[in-house]
């Protein structure tokens, strides 16, 4: 084999691993819960770009099967919104990492060219769950988090993230971590599922607990069969109810939720929708909700006689409302089109055997849990949410493409 042929072969074999390394390094930025330094973000962007360039040079032509238009659509909607907003400089600053993490959607598809590289990403998700759980558990034992020595705040523990609701990342990554395990390895999967619930129960975060229950129920329903799935889901519900009843902090949060309902989130939703009505096409600009909130809170905006609290409120605490008010209809259409194609492919791939089928079910679980938690919290201004979203999109597109390739062609 000549040198040119050897180089082409190395490119084809190396592209999935470079792409997987990029995705794993992006996941590695999550547990500490701190802004990524510019130098590190630049290095990540360079590695992501390198993975795309290697994939485009693939001698087997597999790049033609990569679906990249969702990245272009959503980033394009953000760019249009930035160009038409009142504070383009600030909006650009708050959207810088969005372009880097969006490359995850492409890199995950490239990594799926090699099942070993794909499995490495899933194992990294399982590792992320374990690290976040250890961080919060250590804070419970010693009074300070494991990664950044952040002290706990009374009965509610937030780990290194500083916000209990951010611990939902462990619950959302749990289904992907379980997908790395073959069907017969549930003796390992059950402890991993229990570990994944540690941040939810120790932090008393309703969003993290909701994501844990929903994600685990979807995976159990798909992988255990109908009868055993019903038993497993009932066991999860009973375990959750018992945990809440026996834990004072959780019991207090449950009572508070029952009494207050959505609380201030209802007011924020109405305010966010008013911003959308005022800026329906391109929105107010990505990441700028907090600026509008501060201004209108000082001017006395109110709903049903209750004014907005004069506190910092960087996001609207609802992902659908955030997309509408910050990116307008163009952003909503871009996100809706992306989710539509991902869900369509996942639905076809959910019954595939072995790894692809497990990944399809896991991504469905992530999207279901994320959709419910995203109704009352989460925001795309946080890097871990961007990272998790694009990873789900990329894996969904990857396994969906696999099932379309394996379908036999129709007879003439």
């Amino acid at each position: 084999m000549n040198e040119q042929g050897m180089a082409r072969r190395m490119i084809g074999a190396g592209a999935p691993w470079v792409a997987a390394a990029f995705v794993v390094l992006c996941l590695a930025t999550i547990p500490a819960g701190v802004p990524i330094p510019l130098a590190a973000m630049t290095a990540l962007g360079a590695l992501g770009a390198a993975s795309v360039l290697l994939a485009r040079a693939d001698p087997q032509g597999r790049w033609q099967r990569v679906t990249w238009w969702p990245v272009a659509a959503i980033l394009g909607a953000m760019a249009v919104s930035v160009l038409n907003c009142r504070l383009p400089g600030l909006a650009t600053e708050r959207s810088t990492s969005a372009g880097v993490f969006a490359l995850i959607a492409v890199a995950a598809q490239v990594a799926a060219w090699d099942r070993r590289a794909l499995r490495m990403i899933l194992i990294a998700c399982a590792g992320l769950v374990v690290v976040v759980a250890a961080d919060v558990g250590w804070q419970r034992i010693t009074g300070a988090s494991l990664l950044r020595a952040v002290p706990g705040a009374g009965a509610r523990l937030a780990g290194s993230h500083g916000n209990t609701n951010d611990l939902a990342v462990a619950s959302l990554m749990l289904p992907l971590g379980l997908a790395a395990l073959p069907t017969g390895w549930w003796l390992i999967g059950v402890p991993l599922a229990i570990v994944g619930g540690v941040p939810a129960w120790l932090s008393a975060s309703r969003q993290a607990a909701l994501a844990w229950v929903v994600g685990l129920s979807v995976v159990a329903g798909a992988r255990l069969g109908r009868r055993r799935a019903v038993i497993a889901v009932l066991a999860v519900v009973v375990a959750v109810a018992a945990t809440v009843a026996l834990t004072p902090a959780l019991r207090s949060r449950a009572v508070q939720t029952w009494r207050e309902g959505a609380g201030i989130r209802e007011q924020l939703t109405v305010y966010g929708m008013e911003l959308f009505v005022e800026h329906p096409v391109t929105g107010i600009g990505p990441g700028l909700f907090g600026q509008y909130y501060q201004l209108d809170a000082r001017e006395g905006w109110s709903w049903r006689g209750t004014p907005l609290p004069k506190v910092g409120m960087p996001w609207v605490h609802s992902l659908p409302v955030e997309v509408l008010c910050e990116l307008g209809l163009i952003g909503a259409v871009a996100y809706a089109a992306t989710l539509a194609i991902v869900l369509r492919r996942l639905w076809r791939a959910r019954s595939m055997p072995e790894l692809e089928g497990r990944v399809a079910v896991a991504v469905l679980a992530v999207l279901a849990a994320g959709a419910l938690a995203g109704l009352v919290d989460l925001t795309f201004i946080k890097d871990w949410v961007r990272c998790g979203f694009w990873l789900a999109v990329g894996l969904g597109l990857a396994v969906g493409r696999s099932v379309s390739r394996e379908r036999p062609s129709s007879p003439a």
Side-chain angles (χ1 to χ4, degrees):
M1 182 180 295
N2 57 31
E3 293 183 0
Q4 184 177 3
M6 181 68 72
R8 289 169 61 86
R9 183 176 179 181
M10 291 178 62
I11 289 174
W17 291 100
V18 174
F22 167 67
V23 176
V24 170
L25 288 176
C26 288
L27 291 172
T29 66
I30 293 176
V34 295
I36 304 173
L38 179 59
M41 185 62 71
T42 303
L44 271 179
L47 182 59
S51 69
V52 173
L53 292 176
L54 278 176
R56 286 182 61 86
D58 177 55
Q60 300 179 43
R62 290 175 292 185
W63 173 258
Q64 303 301 321
R65 299 196 297 264
V66 172
T67 304
W68 55 267
W69 67 257
V71 174
I74 292 178
L75 292 185
M78 293 180 66
V80 171
S81 181
V82 168
L83 292 174
N84 288 276
C85 72
R86 296 178 182 176
L87 301 171
L90 184 59
T92 301
E93 179 184 342
R94 293 181 176 175
S95 305
T96 302
S97 66
V100 174
F101 289 122
L103 292 175
I104 293 175
V106 176
Q109 295 178 71
V110 176
W113 294 351
D114 189 315
R115 287 190 174 186
R116 295 169 299 173
L118 175 58
R119 188 173 283 109
M120 184 175 78
I121 293 176
L122 301 176
I123 292 173
C125 292
L128 173 59
V129 172
V130 172
V131 171
V132 173
D135 186 48
V136 178
W138 188 259
Q139 190 177 50
R140 174 64 179 270
I141 296 171
T142 67
S145 65
L146 179 65
L147 300 178
R148 294 199 298 126
V150 177
R156 299 187 67 192
L157 306 174
S160 296
H161 279 266
N163 185 332
T164 57
N165 291 334
D166 286 334
L167 298 178
V169 63
S171 302
L172 293 173
M173 291 296 106
L174 177 61
L176 296 176
L178 291 173
L181 302 174
T183 304
W185 286 35
W186 274 89
L187 287 178
I188 299 177
V190 170
L192 180 58
I194 295 173
V195 168
V198 168
W201 312 125
L202 291 185
S203 67
S205 167
R206 293 167 291 188
Q207 287 75 23
L210 178 65
W212 184 81
V213 172
V214 173
L216 198 58
S217 297
V218 172
V219 172
R223 295 184 63 175
L224 297 180
R226 181 176 299 178
R227 182 175 299 177
R228 288 185 294 175
V230 171
I231 296 174
V233 171
L234 288 176
V236 169
V237 172
V238 171
V240 170
T243 303
V244 171
L246 297 174
T247 307
L250 293 174
R251 190 166 60 246
S252 175
R253 293 290 287 171
V255 172
Q256 179 185 2
T257 302
W258 177 264
R259 291 176 177 175
E260 298 180 1
I264 190 177
R265 284 171 169 80
E266 184 177 354
Q267 187 182 30
L268 291 175
T269 297
V270 174
Y271 174 66
M273 290 305 296
E274 182 173 296
L275 290 177
F276 164 64
V277 171
E278 294 173 354
H279 308 80
V281 180
T282 60
I284 61 175
L288 297 185
F289 175 83
Q291 269 54 44
Y292 280 79
Y293 178 95
Q294 291 179 4
L295 177 62
D296 287 333
R298 287 196 299 267
E299 293 182 353
W301 188 95
S302 64
W303 184 64
R304 291 182 176 177
T306 302
L308 289 174
K310 293 180 175 59
V311 296
M313 194 67 67
W315 62 91
V316 71
H317 290 74
S318 173
L319 281 179
V321 178
E322 179 177 292
V323 170
L324 284 170
C325 75
E326 292 193 351
L327 302 182
L329 288 174
I330 59 168
V333 170
Y335 274 100
T338 296
L339 290 175
I341 187 175
V342 170
L343 290 173
R344 180 172 178 268
R345 292 189 181 183
L346 287 173
W347 192 252
R348 293 187 304 176
R350 72 191 190 284
S351 58
M352 288 183 68
E354 302 302 330
L355 183 61
E356 286 78 7
R358 297 199 303 271
V359 172
V361 169
V363 176
L364 283 170
V366 171
L367 293 178
L372 290 177
L375 288 175
V376 293
D377 202 5
L378 306 185
T379 171
F380 282 119
I381 69 174
K382 293 185 177 182
D383 286 340
W384 79 260
V385 178
R386 291 170 174 168
C387 186
F389 172 78
W390 287 116
L391 178 59
V393 168
L395 292 177
L397 294 173
V399 296
R401 178 65 70 180
S402 296
V403 71
S404 65
R405 290 202 311 271
E406 293 188 6
R407 284 185 171 182
S409 57
S410 302

